[in-house]
Amino acid sequence: MDKIKKNLLSQSIKCFPGGVNSPVRSFAAVGTNPIFVSRASGSKIYDTRGNDYIDFINGWGSLIFGHSAQFTVGALKKQLKNGFLYGISSEYEMRFAKKLMESYPSMDMVRFTNSGTEAVMSAIRTARAYTKREKIVKFEGCYHGHADYLLVKAGSGATTFAVTNSGGVPDDFVKNTIVFPYNEIDSLKNYIRNNRGEIACIIVEPVAGNMGTVLPKKNFLSDLRRISTKYGSVLLFDEIITGFRVARGGAQDAFGIKPDMTCLGKIAGGGLPFGAFGGKKEIMALVSPLGKVYQAGTFSGNPLTMAAGLSVIERLNEKIYKLLDEKTDYLTTEIIKLGKKFGMIVRVNKIASMFTVFFTSDEVTDLKSAMSSDVKKYVRFFNLLFKKGVLFPPSQFESCFLSQAHTDEDLEKTLNAVSDAFKNIN
């Protein structure tokens, strides 16, 4: 067994492109070998070499209660006795849908998928059918999954590896994707005014989480709402990260903006594969079998996912969000203080329980300013924390996430590691 564990990297390289099933897992951006997880519990993950890490990746934001929450494990065990794949409708889907729609009143109807990429792809298809238009607007640094027409100046791994357009994507696939800087409204306004009746939808991460955490400027989201309404475009919020993360009702609740359509995932799946898109009844009525917009999936609404998701969202309340916000506020405030103490130029963007440490003197409000961060310094920062048993994202352009499982002791150990890193980073 020990020999197998030691050879996991060489085995994985033979099995998978780059040795991984998702680019950021390769740790290539931080110049070190990836870890292989053997188990995870609470705030920690444990690798196959016997090391443990305080985890601030948290399934890329999916695990608001931490790893292997016992109530979710219990819900899964109970459901396993009743079957783990039906392929036809079940009562669990209705129970789950009602909970989602209670939290997101902008969704009159919802359709479940198996991933965020599927949800966004299907939502855009539906928006195009509803408006009878082809062009879509997205923003630089916002990642909406790996559908061909969305891999244009995308965030997440595409930013980490300096890829603005993916190989294998024909020009014809992206000709109807119009890209604008995040938080910049004037150029978008002028474009739509001069191209009336052409934009099917405007898709946006209301809080960007894939170029690091980047918050919307004042009035940015409300201006998008106003412009979409004025010119008859669908406003689509990609809340796959922010949904149930920044508030139970997501960013649309936190900022008081009601989109026409919403995509959800991550936390709503309770740690299992999940995606959903929903919106106004007149839009969703176009989805098959009611309408002609085709979307399907054998595993959509899988009973295991429904059980896991319900176990999580039924327990989310204001007390939990308040506690998470307090923990994150304390951690990020202390990181900033340590930066000042050691003469480190640091910016920390934070909202609710998600944050990013940028090594730049500039305010980070879009992809260009995010890219001004000293990535080489972040690499050294990551590796110094990593050696101390603290796991931040292996990319400058991903967000950190806290969970309810993070203890005061975890935070103090993290701050001690940050202090040591700032002392030795140069």
Side-chain angles (χ1 to χ4, degrees):
M1 180 62 74
D2 290 340
K3 185 177 180 180
I4 292 174
K5 288 181 178 180
K6 289 178 181 178
N7 291 329
L8 279 174
L9 179 58
S10 60
Q11 291 177 58
S12 68
I13 289 171
K14 291 176 182 177
C15 293
F16 312 116
V20 294
N21 284 303
S22 189
V24 75
R25 297 179 196 176
S26 73
F27 283 44
V30 290
T32 191
N33 289 330
I35 59 173
F36 292 86
V37 179
S38 61
R39 64 185 180 92
S41 179
S43 64
K44 295 182 175 65
I45 60 171
Y46 302 81
D47 71 15
T48 52
R49 293 180 179 272
N51 303 306
D52 62 89
Y53 305 88
I54 301 171
D55 181 20
F56 289 95
I57 296 175
N58 268 291
W60 305 105
S62 301
L63 304 169
I64 200 164
F65 287 104
H67 293 281
S68 305
Q70 286 306 300
F71 51 79
T72 299
V73 173
L76 290 170
K77 286 181 177 179
K78 182 179 178 180
Q79 180 55 46
L80 277 170
K81 296 177 183 178
N82 297 320
F84 47 84
L85 175 63
Y86 302 146
I88 54 176
S89 298
S90 72
E91 62 175 293
Y92 310 111
E93 294 170 81
M94 267 59 75
R95 288 174 54 198
F96 193 41
K98 286 178 181 179
K99 288 292 182 181
L100 289 188
M101 292 159 68
E102 285 172 8
S103 298
Y104 294 81
S106 64
M107 297 196 303
D108 298 328
M109 300 178 78
V110 65
R111 172 62 66 86
F112 295 151
T113 65
N114 298 293
S115 69
T117 291
E118 283 185 47
V120 171
M121 178 181 70
S122 303
I124 289 175
R125 182 184 301 151
T126 306
R128 280 172 161 160
Y130 178 71
T131 58
K132 296 181 174 62
R133 302 172 183 175
E134 295 184 354
K135 291 182 179 179
I136 63 170
V137 164
K138 74 175 293 287
F139 296 91
E140 292 178 353
C142 287
Y143 178 73
H144 305 292
H146 55 266
D148 285 350
Y149 49 85
L150 292 170
L151 290 173
V152 184
K153 294 191 176 179
S156 192
T159 298
T160 300
F161 294 109
V163 177
T164 54
N165 296 283
S166 172
V169 179
D171 290 342
D172 278 355
F173 281 40
V174 296
K175 68 180 180 182
N176 288 316
T177 303
I178 316 301
V179 185
F180 293 93
Y182 186 79
N183 271 325
E184 160 52 38
I185 204 71
D186 289 337
S187 56
L188 169 63
K189 192 186 303 181
N190 291 333
Y191 180 86
I192 293 184
R193 185 188 301 121
N194 295 327
N195 295 270
R196 292 172 182 264
E198 292 187 11
I199 304 300
C201 78
I202 299 173
I203 181 170
V204 65
E205 287 184 274
V207 176
N210 288 289
M211 49 181 155
T213 302
V214 178
L215 279 64
K217 288 182 178 179
K218 184 180 180 181
N219 298 327
F220 176 62
L221 297 178
S222 58
D223 282 345
L224 291 182
R225 175 67 282 175
R226 182 176 51 80
I227 291 169
S228 299
T229 301
K230 182 176 180 179
Y231 294 101
S233 301
V234 171
L235 179 59
L236 172 54
F237 273 13
D238 178 348
E239 295 231 44
I240 289 162
I241 288 179
T242 55
F244 293 107
R245 172 58 69 177
V246 302
R248 184 182 174 92
Q252 56 195 265
D253 180 33
F255 291 97
I257 306 295
K258 188 176 181 179
D260 301 306
M261 298 188 76
T262 300
C263 291
L264 294 172
K266 302 291 184 188
I267 291 169
L272 272 67
F274 177 74
F277 67 101
K280 292 180 176 179
K281 187 175 182 179
E282 58 265 34
I283 300 175
M284 294 301 295
L286 296 175
V287 178
S288 180
L290 280 181
K292 294 184 178 180
V293 177
Y294 194 75
Q295 186 278 331
T298 298
F299 297 94
S300 298
N302 181 277
L304 283 179
T305 300
M306 301 296 96
L310 278 168
S311 77
V312 169
I313 64 176
E314 286 179 341
R315 285 172 169 78
L316 292 173
N317 55 48
E318 290 305 312
K319 183 179 178 181
I320 287 168
Y321 285 108
K322 184 174 184 294
L323 180 61
L324 281 169
D325 186 68
E326 288 173 353
K327 286 182 179 180
T328 312
D329 191 54
Y330 169 73
L331 180 63
T332 54
T333 299
E334 292 301 310
I335 289 174
I336 292 169
K337 287 181 181 178
L338 288 171
K340 291 179 179 177
K341 179 180 178 179
F342 293 106
M344 192 65 54
I345 299 173
V346 170
R347 286 269 182 179
V348 181
N349 280 10
K350 176 258 181 190
I351 183 170
S353 55
M354 56 188 291
F355 71 94
T356 300
V357 177
F358 293 99
F359 291 90
T360 178
S361 59
D362 299 326
E363 186 179 3
V364 180
T365 60
D366 55 17
L367 181 60
K368 182 179 180 181
S369 51
M371 295 290 284
S372 75
S373 181
D374 189 334
V375 176
K376 291 181 179 179
K377 191 164 286 186
Y378 182 86
V379 169
R380 295 196 291 274
F381 178 64
F382 168 88
N383 281 294
L384 288 165
L385 293 184
F386 187 59
K387 290 176 182 177
K388 293 285 187 176
V390 176
L391 183 62
F392 270 29
S395 164
Q396 171 69 87
F397 306 107
E398 300 283 359
S399 297
C400 294
F401 301 94
L402 265 77
S403 74
Q404 193 192 38
H406 282 92
T407 64
D408 292 343
E409 183 181 354
D410 290 331
L411 300 188
E412 293 309 316
K413 181 177 179 181
T414 299
L415 289 171
N416 287 334
V418 169
S419 179
D420 287 343
F422 284 169
K423 285 180 190 174
N424 298 294
I425 205 167
N426 292 318

